[in-house]
mmCIF file of all heavy atoms in Angstrom:
data_model
loop_
_atom_site.group_PDB
_atom_site.id
_atom_site.type_symbol
_atom_site.label_atom_id
_atom_site.label_comp_id
_atom_site.label_asym_id
_atom_site.label_seq_id
_atom_site.Cartn_x
_atom_site.Cartn_y
_atom_site.Cartn_z
ATOM 1 N N ASP A 1 4.011 -1.086 -5.671
ATOM 2 C CA ASP A 1 3.215 -1.707 -6.727
ATOM 3 C C ASP A 1 1.809 -1.113 -6.835
ATOM 4 O O ASP A 1 1.008 -1.564 -7.657
ATOM 5 C CB ASP A 1 3.138 -3.226 -6.517
ATOM 6 C CG ASP A 1 2.592 -3.594 -5.140
ATOM 7 O OD1 ASP A 1 2.091 -2.702 -4.433
ATOM 8 O OD2 ASP A 1 2.675 -4.775 -4.781
ATOM 9 N N GLU A 2 1.510 -0.134 -5.993
ATOM 10 C CA GLU A 2 0.237 0.599 -6.043
ATOM 11 C C GLU A 2 -0.977 -0.337 -6.020
ATOM 12 O O GLU A 2 -1.904 -0.207 -6.808
ATOM 13 C CB GLU A 2 0.194 1.531 -7.258
ATOM 14 C CG GLU A 2 1.284 2.592 -7.205
ATOM 15 C CD GLU A 2 1.098 3.694 -8.222
ATOM 16 O OE1 GLU A 2 1.035 3.384 -9.425
ATOM 17 O OE2 GLU A 2 0.995 4.863 -7.810
ATOM 18 N N ASP A 3 -0.923 -1.288 -5.071
ATOM 19 C CA ASP A 3 -2.055 -2.203 -4.922
ATOM 20 C C ASP A 3 -2.969 -1.791 -3.769
ATOM 21 O O ASP A 3 -3.901 -2.502 -3.414
ATOM 22 C CB ASP A 3 -1.570 -3.640 -4.710
ATOM 23 C CG ASP A 3 -0.686 -3.780 -3.475
ATOM 24 O OD1 ASP A 3 -0.473 -2.771 -2.761
ATOM 25 O OD2 ASP A 3 -0.199 -4.894 -3.217
ATOM 26 N N GLY A 4 -2.702 -0.626 -3.171
ATOM 27 C CA GLY A 4 -3.538 -0.127 -2.087
ATOM 28 C C GLY A 4 -3.065 -0.530 -0.711
ATOM 29 O O GLY A 4 -3.642 -0.113 0.291
ATOM 30 N N VAL A 5 -1.990 -1.349 -0.634
ATOM 31 C CA VAL A 5 -1.420 -1.766 0.640
ATOM 32 C C VAL A 5 0.084 -1.496 0.589
ATOM 33 O O VAL A 5 0.777 -1.983 -0.295
ATOM 34 C CB VAL A 5 -1.679 -3.262 0.924
ATOM 35 C CG1 VAL A 5 -1.146 -3.637 2.302
ATOM 36 C CG2 VAL A 5 -3.162 -3.574 0.833
ATOM 37 N N GLY A 6 0.578 -0.710 1.543
ATOM 38 C CA GLY A 6 1.986 -0.346 1.538
ATOM 39 C C GLY A 6 2.812 -1.197 2.465
ATOM 40 O O GLY A 6 2.311 -2.115 3.117
ATOM 41 N N VAL A 7 4.101 -0.893 2.520
ATOM 42 C CA VAL A 7 5.008 -1.614 3.405
ATOM 43 C C VAL A 7 5.201 -0.795 4.670
ATOM 44 O O VAL A 7 5.124 0.423 4.662
ATOM 45 C CB VAL A 7 6.351 -1.906 2.716
ATOM 46 C CG1 VAL A 7 6.157 -2.911 1.600
ATOM 47 C CG2 VAL A 7 6.987 -0.638 2.187
ATOM 48 N N GLY A 8 5.467 -1.455 5.754
ATOM 49 C CA GLY A 8 5.585 -0.790 7.049
ATOM 50 C C GLY A 8 6.833 -1.233 7.764
ATOM 51 O O GLY A 8 7.723 -1.797 7.147
ATOM 52 N N PRO A 9 6.901 -1.006 9.070
ATOM 53 C CA PRO A 9 5.780 -0.583 9.901
ATOM 54 C C PRO A 9 5.621 0.918 10.058
ATOM 55 O O PRO A 9 4.634 1.378 10.598
ATOM 56 C CB PRO A 9 6.129 -1.217 11.250
ATOM 57 C CG PRO A 9 7.627 -1.184 11.275
ATOM 58 C CD PRO A 9 8.061 -1.427 9.863
ATOM 59 N N SER A 10 6.620 1.698 9.617
ATOM 60 C CA SER A 10 6.576 3.142 9.867
ATOM 61 C C SER A 10 6.057 3.900 8.648
ATOM 62 O O SER A 10 6.480 3.646 7.517
ATOM 63 C CB SER A 10 7.973 3.655 10.218
ATOM 64 O OG SER A 10 8.470 3.005 11.370
ATOM 65 N N PRO A 11 5.122 4.843 8.849
ATOM 66 C CA PRO A 11 4.643 5.648 7.718
ATOM 67 C C PRO A 11 5.739 6.579 7.214
ATOM 68 O O PRO A 11 6.634 6.969 7.964
ATOM 69 C CB PRO A 11 3.476 6.434 8.326
ATOM 70 C CG PRO A 11 3.766 6.491 9.785
ATOM 71 C CD PRO A 11 4.472 5.206 10.120
ATOM 72 N N ILE A 12 5.640 6.925 5.928
ATOM 73 C CA ILE A 12 6.625 7.846 5.354
ATOM 74 C C ILE A 12 6.049 9.243 5.192
ATOM 75 O O ILE A 12 6.764 10.170 4.822
ATOM 76 C CB ILE A 12 7.131 7.332 3.985
ATOM 77 C CG1 ILE A 12 5.974 7.202 2.999
ATOM 78 C CG2 ILE A 12 7.856 6.016 4.139
ATOM 79 C CD1 ILE A 12 6.428 6.900 1.592
ATOM 80 N N ALA A 13 4.761 9.401 5.471
ATOM 81 C CA ALA A 13 4.135 10.719 5.397
ATOM 82 C C ALA A 13 2.874 10.712 6.247
ATOM 83 O O ALA A 13 2.296 9.653 6.519
ATOM 84 C CB ALA A 13 3.804 11.086 3.951
ATOM 85 N N THR A 14 2.458 11.886 6.680
ATOM 86 C CA THR A 14 1.229 12.029 7.447
ATOM 87 C C THR A 14 0.424 13.203 6.915
ATOM 88 O O THR A 14 0.956 14.072 6.216
ATOM 89 C CB THR A 14 1.526 12.245 8.945
ATOM 90 O OG1 THR A 14 2.323 13.430 9.096
ATOM 91 C CG2 THR A 14 2.249 11.051 9.543
ATOM 92 N N GLY A 15 -0.858 13.209 7.257
ATOM 93 C CA GLY A 15 -1.712 14.334 6.872
ATOM 94 C C GLY A 15 -2.217 14.235 5.449
ATOM 95 O O GLY A 15 -2.306 13.152 4.866
ATOM 96 N N CYS A 16 -2.544 15.381 4.873
ATOM 97 C CA CYS A 16 -3.117 15.442 3.526
ATOM 98 C C CYS A 16 -2.012 15.523 2.476
ATOM 99 O O CYS A 16 -1.053 16.275 2.643
ATOM 100 C CB CYS A 16 -4.020 16.665 3.404
ATOM 101 S SG CYS A 16 -5.352 16.679 4.613
ATOM 102 N N LEU A 17 -2.142 14.733 1.418
ATOM 103 C CA LEU A 17 -1.150 14.716 0.347
ATOM 104 C C LEU A 17 -1.760 15.203 -0.959
ATOM 105 O O LEU A 17 -2.871 14.807 -1.309
ATOM 106 C CB LEU A 17 -0.598 13.300 0.144
ATOM 107 C CG LEU A 17 0.126 12.637 1.315
ATOM 108 C CD1 LEU A 17 0.695 11.298 0.879
ATOM 109 C CD2 LEU A 17 1.226 13.532 1.869
ATOM 110 N N VAL A 18 -1.019 16.020 -1.673
ATOM 111 C CA VAL A 18 -1.452 16.448 -3.003
ATOM 112 C C VAL A 18 -1.203 15.334 -4.006
ATOM 113 O O VAL A 18 -2.033 15.045 -4.869
ATOM 114 C CB VAL A 18 -0.695 17.727 -3.431
ATOM 115 C CG1 VAL A 18 -1.057 18.112 -4.868
ATOM 116 C CG2 VAL A 18 -1.017 18.877 -2.468
ATOM 117 N N ASP A 19 -0.068 14.661 -3.882
ATOM 118 C CA ASP A 19 0.305 13.573 -4.787
ATOM 119 C C ASP A 19 0.338 12.272 -3.996
ATOM 120 O O ASP A 19 1.161 12.104 -3.093
ATOM 121 C CB ASP A 19 1.672 13.863 -5.405
ATOM 122 C CG ASP A 19 2.083 12.811 -6.433
ATOM 123 O OD1 ASP A 19 1.290 11.883 -6.696
ATOM 124 O OD2 ASP A 19 3.208 12.928 -6.967
ATOM 125 N N THR A 20 -0.549 11.349 -4.303
ATOM 126 C CA THR A 20 -0.592 10.065 -3.589
ATOM 127 C C THR A 20 0.010 8.930 -4.407
ATOM 128 O O THR A 20 -0.233 7.761 -4.131
ATOM 129 C CB THR A 20 -2.044 9.718 -3.216
ATOM 130 O OG1 THR A 20 -2.835 9.658 -4.411
ATOM 131 C CG2 THR A 20 -2.627 10.746 -2.259
ATOM 132 N N THR A 21 0.820 9.260 -5.423
ATOM 133 C CA THR A 21 1.484 8.231 -6.213
ATOM 134 C C THR A 21 2.393 7.385 -5.323
ATOM 135 O O THR A 21 3.188 7.919 -4.538
ATOM 136 C CB THR A 21 2.332 8.884 -7.328
ATOM 137 O OG1 THR A 21 1.502 9.704 -8.128
ATOM 138 C CG2 THR A 21 2.982 7.818 -8.201
ATOM 139 N N LYS A 22 2.229 6.080 -5.417
ATOM 140 C CA LYS A 22 3.010 5.123 -4.633
ATOM 141 C C LYS A 22 2.876 5.377 -3.134
ATOM 142 O O LYS A 22 3.825 5.204 -2.359
ATOM 143 C CB LYS A 22 4.481 5.132 -5.056
ATOM 144 C CG LYS A 22 4.675 4.649 -6.483
ATOM 145 C CD LYS A 22 6.131 4.469 -6.847
ATOM 146 C CE LYS A 22 6.253 3.918 -8.280
ATOM 147 N NZ LYS A 22 7.646 3.709 -8.682
ATOM 148 N N ARG A 23 1.677 5.774 -2.746
ATOM 149 C CA ARG A 23 1.364 5.968 -1.342
ATOM 150 C C ARG A 23 0.087 5.201 -1.021
ATOM 151 O O ARG A 23 -0.848 5.171 -1.815
ATOM 152 C CB ARG A 23 1.169 7.450 -1.005
ATOM 153 C CG ARG A 23 2.382 8.323 -1.281
ATOM 154 C CD ARG A 23 3.498 8.034 -0.276
ATOM 155 N NE ARG A 23 4.660 8.894 -0.499
ATOM 156 C CZ ARG A 23 5.702 8.559 -1.239
ATOM 157 N NH1 ARG A 23 5.728 7.377 -1.851
ATOM 158 N NH2 ARG A 23 6.725 9.375 -1.379
ATOM 159 N N ALA A 24 0.021 4.567 0.139
ATOM 160 C CA ALA A 24 -1.163 3.825 0.562
ATOM 161 C C ALA A 24 -1.425 4.121 2.031
ATOM 162 O O ALA A 24 -0.493 4.344 2.806
ATOM 163 C CB ALA A 24 -0.975 2.324 0.357
ATOM 164 N N ARG A 25 -2.699 4.096 2.408
ATOM 165 C CA ARG A 25 -3.067 4.333 3.800
ATOM 166 C C ARG A 25 -2.831 3.109 4.671
ATOM 167 O O ARG A 25 -2.718 3.223 5.879
ATOM 168 C CB ARG A 25 -4.553 4.725 3.873
ATOM 169 C CG ARG A 25 -4.875 6.134 3.398
ATOM 170 C CD ARG A 25 -4.312 7.188 4.331
ATOM 171 N NE ARG A 25 -4.645 6.930 5.723
ATOM 172 C CZ ARG A 25 -5.805 7.279 6.294
ATOM 173 N NH1 ARG A 25 -6.734 7.899 5.580
ATOM 174 N NH2 ARG A 25 -6.039 7.010 7.559
ATOM 175 N N LEU A 26 -2.770 1.928 4.072
ATOM 176 C CA LEU A 26 -2.676 0.695 4.842
ATOM 177 C C LEU A 26 -1.281 0.090 4.756
ATOM 178 O O LEU A 26 -0.706 0.003 3.677
ATOM 179 C CB LEU A 26 -3.668 -0.344 4.316
ATOM 180 C CG LEU A 26 -5.113 0.109 4.140
ATOM 181 C CD1 LEU A 26 -5.937 -1.035 3.577
ATOM 182 C CD2 LEU A 26 -5.679 0.584 5.447
ATOM 183 N N PRO A 27 -0.719 -0.372 5.882
ATOM 184 C CA PRO A 27 0.515 -1.159 5.827
ATOM 185 C C PRO A 27 0.165 -2.635 5.763
ATOM 186 O O PRO A 27 -0.996 -3.021 5.869
ATOM 187 C CB PRO A 27 1.177 -0.813 7.161
ATOM 188 C CG PRO A 27 0.006 -0.630 8.084
ATOM 189 C CD PRO A 27 -1.113 -0.037 7.249
ATOM 190 N N GLY A 28 1.172 -3.471 5.568
ATOM 191 C CA GLY A 28 0.951 -4.916 5.655
ATOM 192 C C GLY A 28 1.118 -5.671 4.359
ATOM 193 O O GLY A 28 0.757 -6.840 4.283
ATOM 194 N N ASP A 29 1.673 -5.043 3.295
ATOM 195 C CA ASP A 29 1.842 -5.759 2.033
ATOM 196 C C ASP A 29 2.865 -6.878 2.198
ATOM 197 O O ASP A 29 3.906 -6.702 2.830
ATOM 198 C CB ASP A 29 2.303 -4.793 0.943
ATOM 199 C CG ASP A 29 1.947 -5.281 -0.450
ATOM 200 O OD1 ASP A 29 1.614 -6.470 -0.573
ATOM 201 O OD2 ASP A 29 1.984 -4.484 -1.389
ATOM 202 N N CYS A 30 2.550 -8.043 1.625
ATOM 203 C CA CYS A 30 3.485 -9.174 1.694
ATOM 204 C C CYS A 30 4.591 -9.053 0.650
ATOM 205 O O CYS A 30 5.722 -9.461 0.869
ATOM 206 C CB CYS A 30 2.727 -10.486 1.478
ATOM 207 S SG CYS A 30 1.422 -10.765 2.672
ATOM 208 N N ASP A 31 4.251 -8.506 -0.523
ATOM 209 C CA ASP A 31 5.215 -8.360 -1.607
ATOM 210 C C ASP A 31 4.896 -7.056 -2.329
ATOM 211 O O ASP A 31 3.952 -6.979 -3.108
ATOM 212 C CB ASP A 31 5.127 -9.554 -2.565
ATOM 213 C CG ASP A 31 6.191 -9.489 -3.660
ATOM 214 O OD1 ASP A 31 6.864 -8.439 -3.766
ATOM 215 O OD2 ASP A 31 6.347 -10.473 -4.401
ATOM 216 N N ASP A 32 5.692 -6.021 -2.067
ATOM 217 C CA ASP A 32 5.384 -4.699 -2.623
ATOM 218 C C ASP A 32 5.833 -4.559 -4.070
ATOM 219 O O ASP A 32 5.773 -3.479 -4.645
ATOM 220 C CB ASP A 32 6.036 -3.601 -1.770
ATOM 221 C CG ASP A 32 5.319 -2.273 -1.932
ATOM 222 O OD1 ASP A 32 4.079 -2.285 -2.101
ATOM 223 O OD2 ASP A 32 5.989 -1.220 -1.892
ATOM 224 N N ALA A 33 6.272 -5.666 -4.664
ATOM 225 C CA ALA A 33 6.592 -5.659 -6.089
ATOM 226 C C ALA A 33 5.524 -6.397 -6.889
ATOM 227 O O ALA A 33 5.617 -6.491 -8.107
ATOM 228 C CB ALA A 33 7.959 -6.293 -6.336
ATOM 229 N N SER A 34 4.512 -6.931 -6.208
ATOM 230 C CA SER A 34 3.480 -7.715 -6.880
ATOM 231 C C SER A 34 2.099 -7.237 -6.452
ATOM 232 O O SER A 34 1.722 -7.393 -5.289
ATOM 233 C CB SER A 34 3.644 -9.202 -6.528
ATOM 234 O OG SER A 34 2.545 -9.952 -7.030
ATOM 235 N N PRO A 35 1.328 -6.650 -7.377
ATOM 236 C CA PRO A 35 -0.010 -6.154 -7.014
ATOM 237 C C PRO A 35 -0.960 -7.237 -6.542
ATOM 238 O O PRO A 35 -1.932 -6.956 -5.842
ATOM 239 C CB PRO A 35 -0.513 -5.526 -8.322
ATOM 240 C CG PRO A 35 0.700 -5.280 -9.135
ATOM 241 C CD PRO A 35 1.675 -6.354 -8.763
ATOM 242 N N SER A 36 -0.695 -8.498 -6.913
ATOM 243 C CA SER A 36 -1.604 -9.574 -6.513
ATOM 244 C C SER A 36 -1.324 -10.083 -5.107
ATOM 245 O O SER A 36 -2.085 -10.879 -4.571
ATOM 246 C CB SER A 36 -1.504 -10.745 -7.505
ATOM 247 O OG SER A 36 -0.209 -11.310 -7.466
ATOM 248 N N GLU A 37 -0.215 -9.635 -4.498
ATOM 249 C CA GLU A 37 0.142 -10.109 -3.157
ATOM 250 C C GLU A 37 -0.142 -9.018 -2.132
ATOM 251 O O GLU A 37 0.747 -8.499 -1.482
ATOM 252 C CB GLU A 37 1.625 -10.505 -3.119
ATOM 253 C CG GLU A 37 1.977 -11.675 -3.991
ATOM 254 C CD GLU A 37 1.389 -12.975 -3.475
ATOM 255 O OE1 GLU A 37 1.165 -13.082 -2.259
ATOM 256 O OE2 GLU A 37 1.144 -13.884 -4.290
ATOM 257 N N ALA A 38 -1.419 -8.676 -1.976
ATOM 258 C CA ALA A 38 -1.801 -7.629 -1.031
ATOM 259 C C ALA A 38 -2.291 -8.194 0.290
ATOM 260 O O ALA A 38 -2.785 -7.463 1.125
ATOM 261 C CB ALA A 38 -2.883 -6.747 -1.641
ATOM 262 N N ASP A 39 -2.198 -9.509 0.477
ATOM 263 C CA ASP A 39 -2.602 -10.099 1.746
ATOM 264 C C ASP A 39 -1.691 -9.565 2.863
ATOM 265 O O ASP A 39 -0.620 -9.059 2.581
ATOM 266 C CB ASP A 39 -2.464 -11.630 1.662
ATOM 267 C CG ASP A 39 -3.555 -12.230 0.782
ATOM 268 O OD1 ASP A 39 -4.572 -11.556 0.598
ATOM 269 O OD2 ASP A 39 -3.380 -13.348 0.288
ATOM 270 N N PRO A 40 -2.048 -9.648 4.146
ATOM 271 C CA PRO A 40 -3.154 -10.439 4.668
ATOM 272 C C PRO A 40 -4.475 -9.701 4.806
ATOM 273 O O PRO A 40 -5.396 -10.222 5.391
ATOM 274 C CB PRO A 40 -2.632 -10.828 6.057
ATOM 275 C CG PRO A 40 -1.831 -9.635 6.464
ATOM 276 C CD PRO A 40 -1.183 -9.146 5.210
ATOM 277 N N PHE A 41 -4.597 -8.506 4.272
ATOM 278 C CA PHE A 41 -5.799 -7.735 4.557
ATOM 279 C C PHE A 41 -6.835 -7.783 3.445
ATOM 280 O O PHE A 41 -7.977 -7.410 3.649
ATOM 281 C CB PHE A 41 -5.429 -6.289 4.880
ATOM 282 C CG PHE A 41 -4.416 -6.215 5.973
ATOM 283 C CD1 PHE A 41 -3.159 -5.715 5.754
ATOM 284 C CD2 PHE A 41 -4.719 -6.727 7.223
ATOM 285 C CE1 PHE A 41 -2.225 -5.687 6.763
ATOM 286 C CE2 PHE A 41 -3.789 -6.717 8.232
ATOM 287 C CZ PHE A 41 -2.540 -6.183 8.005
ATOM 288 N N CYS A 42 -6.455 -8.197 2.244
ATOM 289 C CA CYS A 42 -7.437 -8.467 1.204
ATOM 290 C C CYS A 42 -8.316 -7.254 0.938
ATOM 291 O O CYS A 42 -9.536 -7.319 0.988
ATOM 292 C CB CYS A 42 -8.298 -9.661 1.623
ATOM 293 S SG CYS A 42 -9.112 -10.509 0.265
ATOM 294 N N VAL A 43 -7.692 -6.086 0.705
ATOM 295 C CA VAL A 43 -8.462 -4.865 0.518
ATOM 296 C C VAL A 43 -8.221 -4.294 -0.874
ATOM 297 O O VAL A 43 -7.444 -4.820 -1.655
ATOM 298 C CB VAL A 43 -8.078 -3.801 1.566
ATOM 299 C CG1 VAL A 43 -8.386 -4.286 2.961
ATOM 300 C CG2 VAL A 43 -6.607 -3.456 1.441
ATOM 301 N N GLY A 44 -8.887 -3.185 -1.160
ATOM 302 C CA GLY A 44 -8.710 -2.527 -2.442
ATOM 303 C C GLY A 44 -9.338 -3.325 -3.556
ATOM 304 O O GLY A 44 -10.419 -3.882 -3.415
ATOM 305 N N ASP A 45 -8.670 -3.390 -4.704
ATOM 306 C CA ASP A 45 -9.217 -4.081 -5.869
ATOM 307 C C ASP A 45 -8.569 -5.438 -6.092
ATOM 308 O O ASP A 45 -8.631 -5.989 -7.176
ATOM 309 C CB ASP A 45 -9.045 -3.209 -7.123
ATOM 310 C CG ASP A 45 -9.871 -1.952 -7.041
ATOM 311 O OD1 ASP A 45 -10.972 -2.008 -6.477
ATOM 312 O OD2 ASP A 45 -9.412 -0.918 -7.535
ATOM 313 N N GLY A 46 -7.890 -5.974 -5.086
ATOM 314 C CA GLY A 46 -7.255 -7.271 -5.248
ATOM 315 C C GLY A 46 -8.275 -8.378 -5.422
ATOM 316 O O GLY A 46 -9.421 -8.264 -5.024
ATOM 317 N N VAL A 47 -7.867 -9.469 -6.037
ATOM 318 C CA VAL A 47 -8.772 -10.587 -6.296
ATOM 319 C C VAL A 47 -8.644 -11.604 -5.173
ATOM 320 O O VAL A 47 -7.543 -11.954 -4.755
ATOM 321 C CB VAL A 47 -8.448 -11.242 -7.647
ATOM 322 C CG1 VAL A 47 -9.261 -12.509 -7.833
ATOM 323 C CG2 VAL A 47 -8.725 -10.269 -8.775
#
């Protein structure tokens, strides 16, 4: 959902990426289909 928080626990890529579409540095998304559900870390542009 490109809310700045991805799903984990294992990363799908490491290092520098040319294309960061649907990629996030942070794991921990509660619902990766809903941009408003980026808790528990409350980061990025979420409200």
Side-chain angles (χ1 to χ4, degrees):
D1 56 11
E2 298 192 302
D3 59 2
V5 184
V7 292
S10 300
I12 60 172
T14 59
C16 302
L17 299 185
V18 175
D19 184 2
T20 58
T21 303
K22 295 188 177 181
R23 300 289 182 266
R25 286 292 310 277
L26 310 178
D29 204 345
C30 301
D31 184 351
D32 203 34
S34 172
S36 64
E37 295 291 333
D39 287 339
F41 306 116
C42 202
V43 298
D45 294 325
V47 173

